[in-house]
Amino acid sequence: IEMLRSALKTKRTGAELGQQLLDADRVKLEEIRNTELAGAIERHEKTKEQISRMREFERAADELDAGSPATEEPSSEDFAESASASESAGGLEEHASDDLEPCVFEDNPEDDKSSSEDAPDVDDDNGDDDMYEPYDPHAASDGRATEAEEAGDAINVAPMTIEQCISYAGEGDMARDSLSLLDRFSRMFKKPRAASTAAGESAQSEEDQRHRTLVNGKIARECLPLLEERERTHKRDIDTQNRRIEELEHSVAFPYGDPPVLRALKGKCVRQALGQYEFEHCPFETVLQYEHGRRIADLGKFEKLSMDSDSEEVTLHYEKGASCWKGPRRSVAVRLSCGADTAIVDVDEPSRCVYRMTFSTPLACSQRMLDELLPSPTAHDEL
């Protein structure tokens, strides 16, 4: 009688705990639905958009590679000749005159020698006879070429991180780290000529765009594998959140009783030695079997709960455990019995790979059990 009274007190505490846990399950369910799952879906969709943008960059670069021959890097002679021709065309009308006789120069080595000896040294202020000084990679510069080379190295050599790829794809400005046509010329000449024609500007703009497209394509090819792996991670996260939602929905709707006293048992694993084996019961989850500390069998995963209407005895059914050799998959029926302590009382195997377990807990005790043990007032009066 004292044991039952103590057990019923424990059961009342368990009922309060079970209600708190059930309320917490409801709150967690809403949190996962509205925050964690929604966030995972949003991240997945954003990554898909980033992948789509990267594929557009890759496709544009592939079409450019397939549709036009590769442009060779211009040589210093080509650049100087183009600039000189542009200058000559611009000043032709200003200096032309029909009254002037054409000048004819005859090759005379002696004249050349004497001219070079007699002519004084004169600095050319406008620098037209030395328009472009050849670029020396080892000489000091204004820093522009160095930045261009650094940008080129970062794109062409250094591996892209996922953070960089997200930044590129998210902002949609892939060209800011690419080398412009002017930067490419700066790598060949220290002082590129500032003057240009409208046609030259148009050609530069075209070449700039082409170069940006190719650079963007290279970045996209490096980033796509990283972004695709990120998309798969987000998809796994979504699947995980959906499984958690399914488990919590099942827990919230499960008949733990009124009040939900049995909810306090969920996940409270008990491991106990019986003979040469050890058994572990995690209520509403699984039952495992051990030998010498090593797990040897999964006896089943929780499937359903049943209750005897007359005795109010609760049985937990575990199915689809490990397969027996040339036999069925293991299963176990766990009968909850009233007891002062939570423990595995006994385990037997009435048929091959079909087990029965008795699991004692104060939460299985009832007021009716106590009432049956207490003497009735009528019997007391008769005595």
Side-chain angles (χ1 to χ4, degrees):
I1 291 173
E2 289 303 317
M3 183 277 290
L4 278 171
R5 283 174 175 163
S6 175
L8 289 174
K9 186 182 294 185
T10 302
K11 183 175 181 178
R12 284 192 291 272
T13 303
E16 294 174 1
L17 176 60
Q19 187 62 58
Q20 292 172 5
L21 292 172
L22 201 57
D23 292 341
D25 286 345
R26 294 190 179 100
V27 171
K28 189 62 178 176
L29 178 59
E30 292 305 310
E31 180 184 338
I32 294 175
R33 279 175 176 166
N34 300 330
T35 304
E36 298 182 28
L37 179 59
I41 292 173
E42 182 180 356
R43 290 189 294 272
H44 182 249
E45 292 301 318
K46 192 171 184 178
T47 303
K48 286 173 64 177
E49 291 175 5
Q50 292 165 354
I51 290 174
S52 176
R53 184 169 295 155
M54 285 292 188
R55 284 177 177 156
E56 289 176 7
F57 287 130
E58 183 184 39
R59 186 163 50 250
D62 289 343
E63 290 174 357
L64 188 60
D65 281 336
S68 61
T71 303
E72 296 182 358
E73 194 77 22
S75 65
S76 57
E77 291 80 2
D78 294 338
F79 191 89
E81 181 181 351
S82 174
S84 179
S86 174
E87 180 190 2
S88 300
L92 185 60
E93 293 182 1
E94 181 180 351
H95 298 290
S97 175
D98 294 337
D99 297 334
L100 295 177
E101 293 293 332
C103 296
V104 179
F105 297 93
E106 296 180 359
D107 295 336
N108 190 333
E110 294 298 327
D111 290 344
D112 292 341
K113 183 177 180 180
S114 60
S115 298
S116 61
E117 292 175 353
D118 297 339
D121 293 334
V122 179
D123 291 337
D124 187 359
D125 293 336
N126 59 19
D128 286 345
D129 57 347
D130 186 19
M131 291 188 302
Y132 301 99
E133 183 178 346
Y135 172 64
D136 180 3
H138 302 289
S141 68
D142 60 359
R144 190 172 186 182
T146 302
E147 291 176 4
E149 289 180 359
E150 287 176 356
D153 289 343
I155 293 169
N156 298 325
V157 178
M160 301 291 292
T161 65
I162 186 62
E163 291 78 14
Q164 288 173 321
C165 292
I166 293 171
S167 176
Y168 285 132
E171 295 176 15
D173 182 13
M174 301 283 285
R176 67 184 183 280
D177 284 313
S178 65
L179 300 177
S180 67
L181 185 64
L182 184 60
D183 291 329
R184 294 169 69 195
F185 283 157
S186 296
R187 295 167 70 180
M188 298 191 306
F189 303 100
K190 278 187 178 179
K191 298 181 294 185
R193 190 172 183 84
S196 62
T197 63
E201 289 178 356
S202 176
Q204 175 175 321
S205 176
E206 260 182 47
E207 182 62 17
D208 248 351
Q209 182 58 44
R210 179 182 185 279
H211 182 67
R212 283 197 298 269
T213 301
L214 294 176
V215 170
N216 293 345
K218 180 168 289 188
I219 293 175
R221 292 184 192 100
E222 286 204 29
C223 286
L224 274 171
L226 299 177
L227 290 172
E228 287 167 350
E229 176 58 32
R230 189 178 181 85
E231 182 195 15
R232 288 190 289 271
T233 300
H234 291 326
K235 183 64 171 64
R236 288 193 293 269
D237 189 19
I238 291 172
D239 293 340
T240 299
Q241 301 305 335
N242 281 325
R243 283 194 298 272
R244 292 177 66 193
I245 288 173
E246 185 178 349
E247 290 171 1
L248 285 170
E249 286 176 339
H250 181 267
S251 178
V252 167
F254 194 80
Y256 292 112
D258 187 18
V261 61
L262 295 180
R263 174 62 183 84
L265 276 179
K266 184 176 181 181
K268 305 295 183 183
C269 300
V270 175
R271 182 167 169 174
Q272 197 160 332
L274 295 173
Q276 72 178 92
Y277 299 111
E278 284 183 289
F279 296 89
E280 183 178 43
H281 178 216
C282 298
F284 302 100
E285 292 181 3
T286 187
V287 179
L288 303 173
Q289 184 179 5
Y290 296 83
E291 185 176 23
H292 305 304
R294 183 176 61 89
R295 193 176 88 175
I296 59 173
D298 176 358
L299 301 187
K301 298 173 181 60
F302 179 72
E303 188 72 24
K304 63 181 180 179
L305 174 150
S306 64
M307 179 183 291
D308 186 279
S309 58
D310 296 328
S311 64
E312 298 182 355
E313 186 178 83
V314 174
T315 301
L316 307 181
H317 299 270
Y318 297 81
E319 308 286 345
K320 300 177 182 177
S323 297
C324 283
W325 187 71
K326 294 185 177 180
R329 298 184 69 172
R330 289 173 170 83
S331 64
V332 56
V334 179
R335 182 178 65 87
L336 303 185
S337 66
C338 174
D341 301 314
T342 301
I344 299 173
V345 178
D346 63 63
V347 178
D348 65 345
E349 188 177 0
S351 61
R352 189 182 181 203
C353 298
V354 177
Y355 302 83
R356 289 185 308 197
M357 176 184 288
T358 301
F359 187 78
S360 72
T361 172
L363 304 184
C365 300
S366 67
Q367 183 64 42
R368 189 175 72 174
M369 295 177 182
L370 179 61
D371 293 341
E372 289 174 352
L373 292 176
L374 291 174
S376 64
T378 305
H380 179 73
D381 292 341
E382 289 175 355
L383 290 175

